[in-house]
C-alpha cells in the first residue's frame, strides 16, 4: 500500500493571517505531495519494506538497504514531519499547554516562557533548512533540538511531539528572510490539544 498525502484538517486559508493561504497550498499540495511521491518511488522495488509504517522505516533507517536509505531519510522524513506538522496546528490555536504536558515543560525548561525562548532560538538558529522538534525520549524525558533537512526524531529513537518547519518554503512568501517573525506568528496556530494527545500516547 503506497503512502498517501493526508488531507489538511482545515482549509488552506484557515491559518491566516499567521500562515498565508498561498504558502499552505504550495507547502501541502506541492512540497509534501512530492515527498510522498518520492517515498513511494523509493519503495517500488521493496515490497516488504513498503508494508511498514513511515515511523518504523525512519526508526530503522540504519537497517535499510543503501539503495533507498537516503531517499527514505529525506523524502520519507519529509512525509512524516509534514504529516505531524499539519495536525499540531489549527485556526484559533496558540495559548499555553495544560495538564501533564505543561508540568513536564515547566519542570524540564523552567516554565513555558523559558521553553518558548529555547524553542525559538533553536528554530531560528537552525542553519539552512530544517526543523526544531520537542520530542519524548525513551526514559520519558522531553528533548528539544534542531534537525537538518528532513531528519526525523524517530531516527534518534525519539517520539516527536511539537515541531516547526523552518525551510524557507514554509515562510518565505509572507516573511521573506524574517524567520523570527514567522516563528513569533506560528505560536498563534499551535494546537496544544493535539500536542498533549501526542505526549499522552508517547508516554
Ligand atoms: Mn516543509
Amino acid at each position: 500500500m503506497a503512502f498517501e498525502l493526508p488531507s489538511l484538517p482545515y482549509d488552506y486559508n484557515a491559518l491566516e493571517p499567521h500562515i498565508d493561504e498561498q504558502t499552505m497550498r504550495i507547502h501541502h499540495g506541492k512540497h509534501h505531495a512530492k515527498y510522498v511521491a518520492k517515498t513511494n518511488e523509493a519503495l517500488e522495488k521493496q515490497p516488504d519494506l513498503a508494508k511498514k509504517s513511515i515511523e518504523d522505516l525512519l526508526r530503522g533507517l540504519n537497517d535499510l538497504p543503501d539503495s533507498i536509505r537516503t531517499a527514505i531519510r529525506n523524502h520519507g522524513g519529509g512525509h512524516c514531519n509534514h504529516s505531524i506538522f499539519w495536525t499540531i496546528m489549527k485556526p484559533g490555536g496558540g495559548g499555553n499547554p495544560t495538564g501533564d504536558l505543561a508540568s513536564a515543560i515547566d519542570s524540564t525548561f523552567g516554565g513555558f516562557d523559558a521553553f518558548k525562548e529555547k524553542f525559538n532560538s533553536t528554530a531560528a538558529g537552525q542553519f539552512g533548512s530544517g526543523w526544531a522538534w520537542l520530542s519524548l525520549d525513551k526514559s520519558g524525558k522531553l528533548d528539544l533540538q534542531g534537525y537538518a533537512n528532513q531528519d526525523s526524531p524517530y531516527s534518534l529513537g525519539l517520539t516527536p511531539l511539537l515541531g516547526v518547519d523552518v525551510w524557507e518554503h514554509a515562510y518565505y512568501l509572507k516573511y521573506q528572510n524574517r524567520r523570527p517573525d514567522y516563528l513569533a506568528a506560528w505560536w498563534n496556530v499551535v494546537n496544544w490539544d493535539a500536542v498533549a494527545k501526542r505526549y499522552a500516547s508517547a508516554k
Side-chain angles (χ1 to χ4, degrees):
M1 181 65 195
F3 292 110
E4 288 177 7
L5 179 66
S7 307
L8 272 191
Y10 35 75
D11 292 336
Y12 283 114
N13 64 3
L15 304 181
E16 295 262 11
H18 309 294
I19 303 182
D20 61 288
E21 175 175 353
Q22 192 187 9
T23 294
M24 288 300 290
R25 282 190 184 279
I26 297 170
H27 200 176
H28 176 264
K30 304 290 182 192
H31 290 277
H32 189 174
K34 190 165 184 188
Y35 295 129
V36 173
K38 289 284 195 181
T39 302
N40 289 333
E41 193 182 304
L43 291 167
E44 256 168 22
K45 290 176 184 162
Q46 305 282 345
D48 290 338
L49 292 173
K51 290 177 199 151
K52 292 192 169 198
S53 68
I54 196 65
E55 293 85 355
D56 281 347
L57 288 167
L58 291 166
R59 282 187 192 104
L61 203 55
N62 291 332
D63 302 322
L64 295 178
D66 290 347
S67 58
I68 65 163
R69 187 180 305 117
T70 300
I72 298 302
R73 179 177 181 172
N74 292 338
H75 302 295
H79 172 41
C80 185
N81 284 333
H82 289 85
S83 296
I84 301 168
F85 189 50
W86 312 132
T87 66
I88 54 89
M89 299 189 289
K90 68 171 186 181
N96 291 23
T98 54
D100 288 350
L101 175 62
S103 309
I105 286 174
D106 286 349
S107 64
T108 307
F109 300 100
F112 182 59
D113 289 343
F115 160 71
K116 258 176 92 169
E117 199 174 306
K118 190 169 180 206
F119 191 100
N120 281 340
S121 66
T122 301
Q126 176 61 40
F127 183 75
S129 298
W131 293 73
W133 282 103
L134 174 72
S135 304
L136 197 67
D137 74 13
K138 286 195 172 114
S139 70
K141 286 196 194 123
L142 293 177
D143 178 277
L144 171 58
Q145 56 180 301
Y147 294 78
N149 304 314
Q150 297 295 353
D151 285 355
S152 166
Y154 285 117
S155 301
L156 299 181
L158 303 166
T159 303
L161 305 175
L162 172 71
V164 68
D165 187 341
V166 293
W167 283 57
E168 286 186 342
H169 69 222
Y171 63 87
Y172 208 85
L173 291 177
K174 184 174 171 81
Y175 297 98
Q176 294 84 48
N177 60 321
R178 302 185 310 277
R179 190 188 285 185
D181 291 356
Y182 157 66
L183 291 169
W186 175 78
W187 291 103
N188 294 307
V189 296
V190 169
N191 181 346
W192 284 110
D193 291 339
V195 180
K197 273 185 198 149
R198 296 187 61 81
Y199 178 68
S201 68
K203 286 206 81 148

